[in-house]
Amino acid sequence: MSVRVRFAPSPTGYLHVGNARTALFNWLYARHHQDGKLILRIEDTDKERSTKEFEQGLIDDLKWLGMDWDEGPDVGGEHGPYRQSERDDTYQTYQKQLQEKELVYRCFCSQEELKQRREAALAAGKPPKYDNRCRDLSNEQIASFETEGRVCVWRFKVPVGRVITFDDAVRGEVRFDCDTMGDFVIFKGDGGPTFHFSVVIDDHLMQINHVIRGEDHLSNTPKHILLYEAIGAEPPKYGHLPLILGSDRAPLSKRHGKTSVRQYREMGYPPEAVINYLSLLGWSPKDNREVFKPEDLISIFSIDNLNKSGAVFDVEKMGWISAQHMKEKNPKEILEHAMPALIEAKKVSEPLSAEESDRLEKMVAAVRSGLRYYNQLPEQMDLFMNDEFEIAEAEALEVLKQEHVAPLLKEFSQKVSELDDYSNESIKGCFKAIQKETGIKGKNFFLPVRLSLTGQLHGPEIVDVFPALGKERLLKRIDRVRNLYVEAGT
Ligand code: GLU
């Protein structure tokens, strides 16, 4: 039997990183298996909060992350429709079946009454479960509630004295005592199914055989197993992923910072880096590797390697992972992705001449190793944009005051004016020649040289700064620093 999994988001907001992680693990699981299928199902039964814009936003973000699916509202498939809002007839049919089997009943308790009873139970130190009081209403009582015009919901009769056990792919054996739950609602007062009912009917009809979802659904699973039994179907294999936590180990929420994929997308993180980082939240390959391309993840992903304990979302770590992906990209690709940010920051304007592109790529090559996401590029490139930089840092001014700096930079300027080949080798050869001639080495050599070219004590490799600036600007910078900041010594 081939694997059929699904991702079932509710379109009530942008794609949360936790949901993206759920989508990712389902996608990896489907793609890992030959003939594995991923189904995208839109759970839009909450009519007030669900919107088409959010649905499209979820689809766009999933695609941006590089995921694809075999069946869904946008691609069709044999088990559609794939929006719950379009499946009402199906839910009605199954609800009727349960009614005929007398597994469900009408409950006329109002929200207000339920609330009061819940509060009273809590005050008395009892679990706030529904007390099943409408389970055995007589026909007269039902008629009288109807005459009063009370709205009814349909509740499922939870068996008494049963313990539900299932083998969770992440947590091992899980047990639930049915006596701790009240009869639960499967059809709401507005005539629509509850989440519990629609999810089971859909998973059954869509032939889902593995449900990989967040741990927040763990306590729903016994209800879902009971509903499977009630419709005479086999439940899928469940796997509940650990919660994603903030740095304080509380469940990740907006107060921890950016929590939607869209926000990281807008910052210019490459999608494969986001995928890589999300994959590590609750899964590990059981060796020390952490940097993966999506295709590597597909080949090594296994639900046997999922972890039980909560996974902390650490933006710093995501940045590090992303930097590893950035290093692998060629400057042309980085530049293409960063162009909108560069234009917005007014660092460049389109169209670029071939010469400008070439120069920009060289700048990118120089700063690439310090990049975590594309939109950092405008700031990182500042270094190359302004030849008339100011040096204000006391430590830098100290360096330039040293006696050996004037003769060093004079020689440096001379050698740069003679140098035309900007290969690493030739630049290093030029440095060696200056060191030999002046006898100045180590940081006495490199710090003034770096300051004369960039105005900063730290930054990109100096050999990469040469091609990024070109001879004319190199000389302009060196001579300007000599004139403005170096005490005339020779
Ligand atoms: N629609 C549910 C949610 O967004 C997912 C249901 C499930 O995975 O079973 O949390």
Side-chain angles (χ1 to χ4, degrees):
M1 187 177 48
S2 44
V3 162
R4 284 180 65 84
V5 290
R6 50 42 167 205
F7 175 53
S10 301
T12 54
Y14 281 118
L15 183 64
H16 185 271
V17 287
N19 285 336
R21 192 263 321 246
T22 300
L24 173 64
F25 286 8
N26 279 286
W27 180 69
L28 293 174
Y29 194 58
R31 296 294 171 255
H32 178 81
H33 289 91
Q34 205 180 356
D35 284 338
K37 298 277 186 271
L38 174 65
I39 286 90
L40 175 68
R41 181 172 74 228
I42 302 295
E43 303 214 320
D44 53 354
T45 48
D46 181 342
K47 296 193 179 78
E48 268 160 38
R49 292 171 58 227
S50 302
T51 71
K52 279 268 178 273
E53 287 71 36
F54 283 137
E55 177 187 316
Q56 195 51 51
L58 291 169
I59 290 180
D60 287 349
D61 287 344
L62 289 169
K63 284 190 178 161
W64 173 77
L65 283 169
M67 290 185 232
D68 58 349
W69 41 94
D70 307 283
E71 296 172 33
D74 54 337
V75 293
E78 280 172 38
H79 306 81
Y82 293 94
R83 279 185 200 94
Q84 291 190 327
S85 59
E86 295 164 16
R87 299 174 63 80
D88 269 347
D89 293 350
T90 311
Y91 305 133
Q92 303 277 358
T93 309
Y94 276 88
Q95 192 261 349
K96 293 241 160 54
Q97 272 185 24
L98 298 195
Q99 221 175 303
E100 279 155 22
K101 293 188 196 165
E102 297 187 8
L103 292 172
V104 292
Y105 62 89
R106 270 178 287 180
C107 162
F108 293 90
C109 300
S110 69
Q111 289 300 330
E112 191 48 42
E113 287 164 342
L114 292 170
K115 187 168 161 241
Q116 278 169 12
R117 280 182 235 150
R118 232 185 346 258
E119 282 166 5
L122 285 171
K126 291 188 191 145
K129 61 170 194 171
Y130 177 62
D131 58 10
N132 301 356
R133 70 172 63 193
C134 290
R135 201 191 252 223
D136 300 307
L137 293 180
S138 65
N139 287 344
E140 290 73 40
Q141 283 170 308
I142 292 177
S144 132
F145 281 139
E146 279 178 339
T147 328
E148 271 179 48
R150 282 192 176 232
V151 178
C152 80
V153 299
W154 287 88
R155 285 189 187 267
F156 181 80
K157 292 183 189 167
V158 174
V160 179
R162 267 276 301 275
V163 172
I164 306 274
T165 44
F166 62 94
D167 182 24
D168 189 89
V170 182
R171 313 180 69 86
E173 189 183 84
V174 180
R175 296 167 70 83
F176 276 96
D177 182 351
C178 284
D179 291 347
T180 61
M181 21 169 170
D183 292 343
F184 57 90
V185 180
I186 62 152
F187 252 72
K188 297 179 281 192
D190 63 6
T194 58
F195 156 71
H196 301 303
F197 197 59
S198 52
V199 89
V200 167
I201 302 305
D202 290 349
D203 282 344
H204 164 58
L205 291 175
M206 294 177 186
Q207 295 171 10
I208 301 302
N209 46 29
H210 290 76
V211 166
I212 303 170
R213 61 184 175 187
E215 196 181 276
D216 45 328
H217 287 294
L218 188 65
S219 61
N220 295 327
T221 300
K223 296 179 179 150
H224 298 178
I225 291 175
L226 287 173
L227 288 173
Y228 268 98
E229 252 177 52
I231 60 171
E234 188 67 24
K237 169 102 184 143
Y238 288 98
H240 289 90
L241 304 172
L243 288 182
I244 298 189
L245 311 173
S247 48
D248 55 359
R249 301 199 72 84
L252 186 69
S253 73
K254 284 196 180 123
R255 74 185 166 83
H256 291 109
K258 297 185 171 73
T259 53
S260 74
V261 168
R262 185 64 63 105
Q263 286 166 311
Y264 291 102
R265 177 177 170 181
E266 284 171 355
M267 282 171 83
Y269 272 90
E272 62 278 22
V274 178
I275 289 265
N276 185 164
Y277 180 63
L278 292 177
S279 77
L280 302 174
L281 297 175
W283 169 85
S284 64
K286 296 260 157 84
D287 56 27
N288 291 329
R289 283 179 306 159
E290 290 187 307
V291 182
F292 302 101
K293 294 197 166 73
E295 55 271 30
D296 303 331
L297 288 170
I298 289 174
S299 75
I300 58 176
F301 183 79
S302 153
I303 50 174
D304 297 337
N305 290 349
L306 293 173
N307 312 321
K308 268 202 284 254
S309 50
V312 174
F313 187 80
D314 176 0
V315 180
E316 196 43 45
K317 179 74 183 276
M318 177 154 112
W320 181 83
I321 294 275
S322 190
Q324 311 314 306
H325 285 265
M326 280 296 196
K327 279 184 203 154
E328 298 293 310
K329 293 182 188 296
N330 67 45
K332 192 178 168 64
E333 187 187 348
I334 296 179
L335 189 60
E336 266 166 29
H337 280 101
M339 268 315 267
L342 287 168
I343 291 170
E344 201 188 310
K346 301 202 164 47
K347 303 286 175 188
V348 297
S349 55
E350 275 184 317
L352 292 180
S353 66
E355 200 185 321
E356 277 170 319
S357 293
D358 187 54
R359 182 72 68 208
L360 284 168
E361 279 173 35
K362 287 178 173 140
M363 294 180 191
V364 174
V367 297
R368 179 175 47 176
S369 64
L371 276 185
R372 296 181 155 203
Y373 46 90
Y374 298 118
N375 295 6
Q376 284 181 321
L377 200 57
E379 201 196 320
Q380 300 264 333
M381 301 235 301
D382 271 348
L383 190 72
F384 301 111
M385 297 294 170
N386 177 17
D387 293 334
E388 300 188 352
F389 49 78
E390 196 191 336
I391 303 177
E393 211 184 327
E395 200 188 333
L397 293 170
E398 274 312 303
V399 167
L400 294 176
K401 261 199 214 145
Q402 298 172 97
E403 235 175 75
H404 72 274
V405 173
L408 168 66
L409 292 188
K410 184 173 179 215
E411 185 59 25
F412 184 41
S413 171
Q414 178 61 36
K415 284 279 185 307
V416 169
S417 70
E418 290 159 12
L419 187 74
D420 291 311
D421 170 5
Y422 287 171
S423 64
N424 275 4
E425 234 169 56
S426 125
I427 298 167
K428 282 182 182 156
C430 159
F431 288 171
K432 277 222 176 80
I434 303 171
Q435 287 166 346
K436 203 165 164 210
E437 246 154 81
T438 60
I440 302 165
K441 294 203 173 90
K443 73 178 186 189
N444 285 341
F445 173 85
F446 283 107
L447 287 182
V449 160
R450 177 178 286 285
L451 281 168
S452 73
L453 297 183
T454 68
Q456 296 172 10
L457 287 164
H458 308 280
E461 296 287 335
I462 300 175
V463 285
D464 293 331
V465 172
F466 273 67
L469 289 173
K471 187 187 277 194
E472 197 184 318
R473 294 180 67 201
L474 286 168
L475 288 173
K476 186 172 165 193
R477 287 180 173 215
I478 301 167
D479 293 336
R480 190 175 158 274
V481 169
R482 289 174 65 204
N483 288 334
L484 290 182
Y485 296 100
V486 178
E487 292 186 355
T490 51

